[in-house]
Amino acid sequence: MKIIEIKNMELLAPLFAHWQETMIWSCLEGSMGQAFAPAGGAPRAALLQVADFCFLAGEPCAELAAWRPAGAGDFSILAPQHEGWAAAIEAAWGQKARRCARYAFHKTAEGFDPAALARFAAALPPGYGLRPMGREEYRQALASGWGARDLCAQFADERDYYRRGLGVAVLQEGRLVAGASSYTVYRGGIEIEIDTHPDHRRRGLARACGAALMLECLKRGLYPSWDAQNPASAALAKSLGYRFDREYPVYEVRA
């Protein structure tokens, strides 16, 4: 079966209509990512690839479950719409696919307390400073070897990041040691990415920069969406005012 790229997102929107995920919205509105479906007729299955994520919807398709877009890295997170897709992913990837849980939160700001967020943002330990993600911080993030690339790597280049992205950096003696930034963007907001250098964890840096970024988003009329990779991230989100929605399965695949 031939897999083709789809440019007309209106053809795919019904397949993802009830999936409350900002990265899906990013792709369907043309802000980021790309879309694929089996060739021939109206699509009954589709894959949206945005950053490291692939969202599979519609009728399970073995070829699409095994599809890797050109230029995709060695690591992908496959999100099945239902268990039929989960079975297709397991059949396609076998032991290369590790099933794990992620944690979704309601897309509403009703639990946010700006005063509390301001206190969290100000509660940095001595020796650390908080500032907007500038050009030097952007370059340090891309050159980092501890995961900070994800703070801005999904944008085409530095110019694209400063045109559409948004971020907050934590510095120690001029070095980037933590940050919160737009992993992806859509018209109504951003998907938050937070990373902390291993040597600087458990010091409140993630909460401080996360709170600062949330405040900046609210100031600009943007929604700071949070999707947690693990229970620790979910607990941090709850402490910042996010309302838990559900746990859902994904597959981490190393090709």
Side-chain angles (χ1 to χ4, degrees), residues 135-158:
R135 284 176 167 74
E136 175 60 25
E137 291 73 35
Y138 171 91
R139 291 163 186 166
Q140 286 193 42
L142 285 186
S144 76
W146 49 271
R149 280 185 56 84
D150 284 339
L151 294 172
C152 47
Q154 308 309 326
F155 295 84
D157 51 31
E158 184 177 318

Side-chain angles (χ1 to χ4, degrees), residues 174-198:
R175 292 182 298 109
L176 178 70
V177 295
S181 184
S182 45
Y183 181 66
T184 53
V185 297
Y186 66 105
R187 292 193 189 109
I190 69 170
E191 186 70 33
I192 288 182
E193 170 75 17
I194 297 182
D195 292 293
T196 304
H197 190 287

Side-chain angles (χ1 to χ4, degrees), residues 12-233:
L12 305 183
L15 299 177
F16 295 89
H18 302 294
W19 202 335
Q20 296 292 299
E21 170 54 62
T22 69
M23 284 184 277
I24 289 174
W25 303 343
S26 293
C27 193
L28 292 179
E29 71 184 22
S31 294
M32 291 181 132
Q34 50 191 338
F36 301 89
R44 299 170 67 179
L47 179 153
L48 303 185
Q49 183 261 323
V50 186
D52 289 333
F53 288 78
C54 293
F55 300 92
L56 294 146
E59 297 179 3
C61 169
E63 291 82 2
L64 205 54
W67 178 252
R68 291 191 60 77
D74 293 336
F75 175 75
S76 295
I77 299 171
L78 308 187
Q81 189 180 54
H82 49 72
E83 285 301 317
W85 274 111
I89 291 169
E90 292 175 5
W93 294 99
Q95 294 185 351
K96 292 181 179 179
R98 183 175 75 92
R99 182 173 173 127
C100 50
R102 291 186 69 95
Y103 307 89
F105 292 83
H106 289 285
K107 305 295 187 285
T108 173
E110 67 180 38
F112 299 161
D113 180 348
L117 293 175
R119 290 195 301 271
F120 294 151
L124 281 175
Y128 294 96
L130 199 64
R131 59 168 293 170
M133 184 78 73
R135 284 176 167 74
E136 175 60 25
E137 291 73 35
Y138 171 91
R139 291 163 186 166
Q140 286 193 42
L142 285 186
S144 76
W146 49 271
R149 280 185 56 84
D150 284 339
L151 294 172
C152 47
Q154 308 309 326
F155 295 84
D157 51 31
E158 184 177 318
R159 185 174 183 177
D160 185 35
Y161 179 80
Y162 286 105
R163 181 173 65 89
R164 301 191 295 155
L166 183 64
V168 175
V170 178
L171 304 177
Q172 184 189 57
E173 297 180 351
R175 292 182 298 109
L176 178 70
V177 295
S181 184
S182 45
Y183 181 66
T184 53
V185 297
Y186 66 105
R187 292 193 189 109
I190 69 170
E191 186 70 33
I192 288 182
E193 170 75 17
I194 297 182
D195 292 293
T196 304
H197 190 287
D199 294 342
H200 298 267
R201 291 174 182 166
R202 301 185 182 279
R203 301 181 190 183
L205 307 187
R207 187 171 73 166
C209 62
L213 181 57
M214 290 169 66
L215 284 170
E216 187 60 30
C217 285
L218 296 177
K219 177 182 174 181
R220 300 185 184 203
L222 301 172
Y223 182 73
S225 178
W226 191 299
D227 189 271
Q229 180 184 16
N230 52 52
S233 177

